[in-house]
Amino acid sequence: MLGRGLSVLGRAIREQPRIFAVAVSGSVLFGLMVIASAYVVGAVVGEVVVPAIARGSVGTGALALAAAALFGISVLRVVGIFGRRLGAGYMQFRLQAAYRRRVTRRYLDLPLAWHQRNNTGTLLSNANSDVEAAWYPIAPLPFAVGTLVMLVGAVVSLFLTDWALALVGLAVFPALFALNVVYSRRMAPRQARAQRLRAEVSGIAHESFDGALVVKTMGREAEETARFSARAGELRDALISVGRLRGVFDPLLETLPSLGTLAVLVVGAFRLRAGAISVAELVSVAFLFTVLAFPVRAIGWVLAELPRSVAGWDRVRRVLDATGEMPYGERRLDPAEPTPATLAFAGVCFGYEPAEAHLPGTEVLGDVTFTVPAGKTVALVGPTGAGKSTIASLAVRLVDPRVGTVALDGVDVRELAADSLAETVALVAQVPFVFDDTVRANITLDRPGIGDEDVWAALRLAEADGFVAALPEGLDTMVGERGTSLSGGQRQRLTLARALAGRPRLLVLDDATSAVDPRVEAAILAGLRAPTGGQGAAASILVVAYRRATIALADEVIYVEQGRVVARGTHTELLATVPGYADLVTAYEQAEQEREQNRTYDEVAPLTSGLEIEVDR
């Protein structure tokens, strides 16, 4: 544990050498002034106080000189403390900020498959409490390094003063280090368990809050509370165990220097009687042991926090060392005119990695080949679990194929630069995500070149301009966390407008209009297909569709079953030739009709009920 902990601290020093040097310099200055103060106090007692008592009077000059010496040492100690604390704090907070950024950047680089194997609570803990724990010992580290210098100086001073008193020091200091080693070994597993439980508690809390709608509607509040309470109780017990161990060792660590001072006084009294040392030397050594008690604790603080630091660093390093990132290329797609892009899948196979290495993976797609021609609309249709959303994710390169290629305008998406890909393709996912911000901020996302005119144009295409204009503050209206002030259909249209505001050349809609009225959906798709400037559609469209009206608008339909393209053609052709396709579309249509009938009944029922009451009267 000591070796691993020192390795973490060494990394910190290598990353912030200048700040560390400033902090250690302040600490060394403080330590040297502590030793100097001990000998100045001894000299004041031996040369000023004792003679003054013997004479019955105090010399003004000697007293002023003693006061000046003590004041000067105190000023230098203050300078040392200021440099040490400022440097240590600056170093600690810089490291924490830097590693929070690194962890977050790593999250963004890692593929979705990695995120699917790690719960959100753990990821939040990695970026917050684990980073803090990893660099927690940085605050006392410069003090501890300065204390080591001070201890070496103190031991040398003791030997120069008297060998017997030096032996007392040599007995106390190793005892302090040995006690700290025992403490660290016992603390390490407790701190590691506490860090793990912090992540689990955070994960349960996040899951419960995120799934509040399910918890409330299913009446599972008590069960979720009990689940959280049980894990929170484990964390409480783990932290109590940490505190209990500290409660045992802290008094011992505080007592040893005091016992050393007592031993120095006892041994020093005999040495003084034997004439081996003077009163000034005895006072200096006793005072030195007294003032050393607090700085020596700095070493204990560092050693005490090493187990927590190692536990936090192990969890942070697990993220930083994770593999599977998707490096981008350098090629760009910059046509002279922003024309629709061509998307082509060629022999694509894809499977999700297992949650554990010894388990088999899940094959999702096999030999998928199709093309979305420039300016055309292609509908993906298939039963649940057929791989439609995976195809959508591959199209925008959220994941990469295991075999085969996904190309835009003939260029493999893996060869494209990140910004070029983002400018070319936009995905509107099944579940709309809205930030807790204004309507304008949700659509622009601070992307350059998107003004209010572009925002309103995107809202009109998404059939969202009407409800946005009716909001209390229009584009400046705050929509709440995850868009809680909006309906499901409004959130979908807002996220669609967000995608359109960037003027993508390929638009991928993964069942992105399922929550809106079929008539509104048809109007949206018709608007997206409308020619602009006489140059055809503004974007090519790949849409995961269920409704017959939506599918009928597509130039081509691709029917997918069990991760494979089973048939392709127009909607009319597939209805006549593919029984599975016809059954699926018919089933979706019947379900949609039932929902419409239920919605109509819900709207009419209150009126009918009121009429019946009037008739009864």
Side-chain angles (χ1 to χ4, degrees):
M1 177 58 63
L2 180 62
R4 294 172 66 197
L6 293 178
S7 175
V8 175
L9 298 182
R11 175 183 288 270
I13 294 170
R14 289 192 299 272
E15 293 199 15
Q16 303 288 337
R18 294 182 180 179
I19 301 175
F20 182 71
V22 170
V24 169
S25 298
S27 182
V28 170
L29 176 62
F30 171 80
L32 294 176
M33 290 304 100
V34 167
I35 297 174
S37 65
Y39 283 91
V40 169
V41 168
V44 169
V45 172
E47 304 298 332
V48 178
V49 176
V50 173
I53 293 175
R55 292 194 308 267
S57 63
V58 180
T60 306
L63 187 61
L65 182 62
L70 291 173
F71 178 77
I73 288 175
S74 297
V75 170
L76 291 176
R77 285 178 66 177
V78 169
V79 171
I81 292 172
F82 180 78
R84 183 195 77 220
R85 290 192 173 181
L86 181 64
Y90 197 62
M91 181 178 176
Q92 181 183 35
F93 296 136
R94 276 178 66 93
L95 283 167
Q96 288 177 351
Y99 273 84
R100 283 196 182 98
R101 288 193 293 268
R102 291 183 192 181
V103 169
T104 304
R105 180 70 257 176
R106 192 63 183 154
Y107 287 160
L108 298 176
D109 290 338
L110 289 166
L112 285 179
W114 185 88
H115 286 274
Q116 290 163 352
R117 297 195 300 270
N118 295 271
N119 68 65
T120 305
T122 298
L123 301 185
L124 290 172
S125 179
N126 291 152
N128 187 30
S129 64
D130 290 334
V131 169
E132 287 185 358
W135 306 121
Y136 199 79
I138 297 302
L141 178 61
F143 196 8
V145 174
T147 298
L148 288 175
V149 175
M150 183 173 59
L151 287 177
V152 173
V155 171
V156 171
S157 300
L158 288 175
F159 272 104
L160 293 176
T161 301
D162 183 67
W163 64 268
L165 297 180
L167 291 178
V168 174
L170 290 179
V172 172
F173 297 146
L176 278 171
F177 285 111
L179 190 60
N180 272 298
V181 168
V182 174
Y183 172 65
S184 295
R185 287 181 177 176
R186 297 199 173 189
M187 181 63 77
R190 290 172 169 82
Q191 289 284 19
R193 182 168 183 266
Q195 283 300 113
R196 176 176 58 80
L197 287 171
R198 280 189 178 97
E200 292 180 6
V201 168
S202 176
I204 293 174
H206 181 272
E207 193 174 49
S208 296
F209 300 153
D210 213 29
L213 180 62
V214 176
V215 172
K216 299 286 288 183
T217 56
M218 295 296 178
R220 305 300 293 175
E221 295 95 331
E223 287 75 13
E224 280 297 299
T225 301
R227 185 165 74 105
F228 181 82
S229 179
R231 199 53 53 89
E234 290 183 39
L235 176 59
R236 174 204 61 207
D237 294 341
L239 293 175
I240 288 174
S241 176
V242 169
R244 186 180 293 117
L245 189 63
R246 280 183 173 168
V248 171
F249 277 87
D250 278 356
L252 295 177
L253 293 171
E254 292 285 352
T255 300
L256 273 178
S258 300
L259 292 177
T261 303
L262 181 60
V264 163
L265 291 174
V266 172
V267 174
F270 286 103
R271 299 294 289 170
L272 181 64
R273 182 176 297 177
I277 59 173
S278 65
V279 172
E281 290 172 330
L282 176 60
V283 171
S284 295
V285 173
F287 183 80
L288 185 61
F289 266 80
T290 301
V291 296
L292 277 178
F294 176 71
V296 167
R297 286 292 291 121
I299 300 175
W301 293 333
V302 173
L303 295 176
E305 294 299 335
L306 283 185
R308 181 182 176 188
S309 175
V310 169
W313 173 247
D314 286 345
R315 294 172 63 83
V316 170
R317 190 176 59 182
R318 184 185 69 87
V319 176
L320 298 180
D321 293 345
T323 58
E325 71 274 14
M326 299 189 300
Y328 288 91
E330 298 180 356
R331 297 188 64 177
R332 309 185 64 83
L333 297 175
D334 292 323
E337 295 292 337
T339 56
T342 298
L343 172 69
F345 276 60
V348 170
C349 298
F350 178 82
Y352 288 104
E353 296 179 6
E356 299 179 22
H358 65 279
L359 296 176
T362 303
E363 194 70 18
V364 179
L365 300 178
D367 194 24
V368 173
T369 300
F370 69 89
T371 301
V372 179
K376 301 297 183 181
T377 299
V378 173
L380 274 178
V381 181
T384 301
K388 303 183 297 297
S389 293
T390 302
I391 291 174
S393 297
L394 285 162
V396 296
R397 210 195 168 205
L398 291 178
V399 292
D400 280 336
R402 181 174 55 80
V403 178
T405 59
V406 178
L408 285 170
D409 287 345
V411 180
D412 192 325
V413 293
R414 288 170 287 201
E415 300 176 10
L416 291 175
D419 57 344
S420 181
L421 181 64
E423 292 169 357
T424 305
V425 186
L427 169 70
V428 185
Q430 284 178 311
V431 180
F433 185 87
V434 180
F435 295 93
D436 185 9
D437 209 329
T438 64
V439 172
R440 179 187 290 104
N442 266 285
I443 294 175
T444 64
L445 294 183
D446 289 330
R447 289 173 289 180
I450 301 179
D452 281 2
E453 290 185 5
D454 302 301
V455 170
W456 282 111
L459 288 170
R460 281 192 294 272
L461 269 178
E463 295 288 324
D465 56 321
F467 82 80
V468 170
L471 293 174
E473 297 179 58
L475 294 178
D476 294 314
T477 302
M478 297 292 294
V479 297
E481 185 177 2
R482 292 181 177 269
T484 53
S485 65
L486 304 176
S487 69
Q490 289 173 335
R491 287 195 294 271
Q492 281 193 332
R493 283 179 278 172
L494 201 63
T495 54
L496 177 58
R498 175 194 298 159
L500 294 172
R503 296 174 183 168
R505 299 173 54 221
L506 171 66
L507 187 62
V508 181
L509 306 177
D510 185 6
D511 193 25
T513 52
S514 59
V516 302
D517 185 277
R519 292 179 295 276
V520 174
E521 181 186 37
I524 292 173
L525 293 176
L528 295 177
R529 285 169 50 87
T532 57
Q535 297 189 13
S540 308
I541 301 173
L542 176 64
V543 55
V544 176
Y546 295 93
R547 293 169 174 166
R548 183 190 291 259
T550 305
I551 299 169
L553 290 172
D555 298 295
E556 185 179 29
V557 178
I558 296 175
Y559 181 56
V560 183
E561 279 187 358
Q562 297 181 351
R564 296 181 180 274
V565 175
V566 176
R568 55 192 304 166
T570 64
H571 171 60
T572 304
E573 292 171 349
L574 294 186
L575 276 179
T577 59
V578 183
Y581 175 82
D583 293 341
L584 184 66
V585 173
T586 301
Y588 283 142
E589 189 172 27
Q590 290 175 350
E592 187 65 38
Q593 289 174 352
E594 290 177 2
R595 281 196 296 269
E596 286 295 319
Q597 290 173 356
N598 291 335
R599 186 180 305 161
T600 303
Y601 174 77
D602 291 338
E603 293 172 354
V604 173
L607 298 175
T608 306
S609 176
L611 290 174
E612 290 174 351
I613 293 173
E614 291 297 329
V615 171
D616 289 341
R617 285 178 181 175

